[in-house]
């Protein structure tokens, strides 16, 4: 289950990421949780979104080695695709439905 609170060990008092190693540790843990939960159900969109954000944060760290930054950027884009494909499709209305909905007065 995904916790709403961020572990204070991952964040310094000013809210900045403490160490890249902690972010890597966190995202690896999240990815393993996503894998475990996807075996039970269809996976958790919220968890995939958190993984994407962690990877993006790592990719934005200038102190990280270039190859690791590039890998994190590529993976964040792939997780973004997972998140987008997991979102419910917007409801489509046919012409009749739009006309009926448009004629209603609220």
């Amino acid at each position: 289950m995904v916790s709403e609170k961020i572990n204070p060990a991952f964040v310094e008092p000013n809210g900045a990421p403490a160490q890249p190693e902690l972010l890597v540790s966190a995202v690896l843990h999240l990815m393993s949780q996503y894998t475990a939960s996807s075996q039970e159900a269809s996976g958790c969109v919220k968890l995939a979104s958190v993984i994407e954000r962690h990877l993006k944060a790592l990719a934005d760290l200038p102190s990280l080695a270039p190859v690791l930054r590039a890998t994190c950027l590529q993976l964040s884009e792939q997780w973004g695709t997972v998140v987008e494909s997991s979102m419910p499709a917007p409801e489509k209305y046919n012409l009749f439905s739009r006309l009926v909905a448009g004629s209603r007065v609220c």
Side-chain angles (χ1 to χ4, degrees):
M1 183 173 192
V2 178
S3 174
E4 291 294 321
K5 293 185 176 183
I6 295 175
N7 187 334
F10 295 129
V11 181
E12 290 182 0
N14 64 0
Q19 298 173 1
E21 295 83 10
L22 292 176
L23 280 172
V24 170
S25 175
V27 77
L28 289 173
H29 176 75
L30 291 168
M31 290 168 119
S32 66
Q33 290 298 316
Y34 182 86
T35 302
S37 69
S38 68
Q39 291 174 356
E40 298 169 5
S42 62
C44 178
V45 177
K46 190 173 185 179
L47 185 54
S49 178
V50 172
I51 292 169
E52 176 195 11
R53 285 193 311 249
H54 274 73
L55 289 166
K56 179 72 172 118
L58 281 164
D60 290 341
L61 290 176
S63 61
L64 215 55
V67 69
L68 190 52
R69 289 179 67 201
T71 300
C72 289
L73 181 61
Q74 182 182 21
L75 288 172
S76 74
E77 291 169 356
Q78 290 176 2
W79 279 98
T81 303
V82 170
V83 172
E84 288 176 9
S85 67
S86 300
M87 299 298 281
E91 192 173 323
K92 293 184 179 181
Y93 295 101
N94 61 25
L95 179 59
F96 179 74
S97 298
R98 286 186 285 176
L99 290 173
V100 171
S103 66
R104 293 184 185 160
V105 178
C106 295

